[in-house]
Amino acid sequence: QVQVVESGGGVVQPGRSVRLSCAASGFTFSSFDMHWVRQAPGKGLEWVAVISYDGINKYYADSVKGRITISRDNSKNTLYLQINSLRAEDAAVYYCARDLFSGVVMGYWGQGTLVTVSS
Amino acid sequence: QSALAQPASVSGSPGQSITISCTGTSSDVGGYNYVSWYQQHPGKAPKLIIYDVTYRPSGVSDRFSGSKSGNTASLTISGLQAEDEADYYCSSYTSSRTHVFGGGTILTVL
């Protein structure tokens, strides 16, 4: 069955960087676009970024553009999210999600990894 | 990209029907038939319940249905059950090739 498992979260100091990972299994990873979505504590969902199945096309929310990079390694069935210059407002549960089939639907979600920004 | 507008909360009694609206612009909801709805129970990951405005993924109850008129999409839940109590989010593809969520709606089953 389709499974995506996030990791890499934890307590990170403001201004530092963190790289989140999302390990995929149960499907042909290289055939699907992948998304990152985040949710600050007690808040709603915020779409962060999407990467095409081949890693060529990447799109970002305006709120994170320039500080966040989405990438993937299809040989390792793994999706990444690099967050630089961490700010308090980056504190959130970060979810990765596999596209359903058309490139515009977040169909399968992981359980998320929590990033806490604190000195 | 501004968040799509959803009511903060809705409520209904078991067996009743409720509708949650999701209002955007011609650059997102109104411009594409790519509206999705997600259900999220406390402490859990979101779950896709409607995609492409009206389609249900396999395994999702037919009590959930979606529609769209102009810049506003809607989610209707019929035959309300206690297990439907959750947060609901709409999402749309946008003209910038990005995605945007609504602010979320808390559904209370009375």
Side-chain angles (χ1 to χ4, degrees):
Chain A
Q1 71 282 18
V2 174
Q3 191 169 16
V4 290
V5 179
E6 304 90 339
S7 62
V11 180
V12 188
Q13 292 181 329
R16 302 296 291 267
S17 299
V18 67
R19 188 177 81 158
L20 307 180
S21 300
C22 170
S25 60
F27 64 98
T28 304
F29 181 68
S30 59
S31 296
F32 291 91
D33 295 358
M34 297 292 294
H35 302 256
W36 284 101
V37 176
R38 68 183 181 182
Q39 186 170 34
K43 303 296 184 182
L45 300 174
E46 179 186 16
W47 180 82
V48 173
V50 63
I51 186 169
S52 61
Y53 64 97
D54 55 5
I56 293 176
N57 296 306
K58 306 174 185 181
Y59 300 96
Y60 299 92
D62 288 344
S63 60
V64 303
K65 207 174 289 185
R67 286 193 309 117
I68 285 184
T69 302
I70 189 172
S71 62
R72 66 191 296 161
D73 186 337
N74 284 346
S75 68
K76 295 182 178 180
N77 290 346
T78 303
L79 173 73
Y80 302 101
L81 189 72
Q82 176 82 24
I83 312 173
N84 298 322
S85 303
L86 271 158
R87 305 169 179 170
E89 55 263 38
D90 294 320
V93 174
Y94 284 76
Y95 296 101
C96 74
R98 196 206 88 175
D99 182 73
L100 191 61
F101 57 75
S102 59
V104 295
V105 181
M106 289 153 268
Y108 300 90
W109 296 62
Q111 289 305 302
T113 188
L114 175 63
V115 173
T116 301
V117 181
S118 174
S119 54
Chain B
Q1 184 71 50
S2 299
L4 306 176
Q6 295 182 233
S9 63
V10 298
S11 62
S13 300
Q16 289 186 331
S17 294
I18 63 94
T19 297
I20 299 171
S21 62
C22 170
T23 301
T25 69
S26 58
S27 295
D28 39 64
V29 174
Y32 306 91
N33 287 326
Y34 294 142
V35 175
S36 301
W37 289 91
Y38 301 87
Q39 177 191 62
Q40 186 180 35
H41 287 106
K44 300 295 186 181
K47 173 189 174 184
L48 176 69
I49 56 173
I50 295 287
Y51 67 96
D52 293 357
V53 179
T54 62
Y55 294 90
R56 280 187 311 275
S58 174
V60 173
S61 171
D62 59 5
R63 297 185 299 105
F64 294 91
S65 62
S67 63
K68 192 185 84 167
S69 178
N71 295 337
T72 298
S74 299
L75 171 71
T76 297
I77 308 174
S78 59
L80 211 54
Q81 299 179 1
E83 68 211 47
D84 299 331
E85 188 162 288
D87 296 338
Y88 291 84
Y89 296 89
C90 62
S91 172
S92 176
Y93 181 71
T94 82
S95 59
S96 302
R97 301 188 181 183
T98 60
H99 297 257
V100 61
F101 281 99
T105 298
I106 300 170
L107 169 61
T108 301
V109 180
L110 302 171

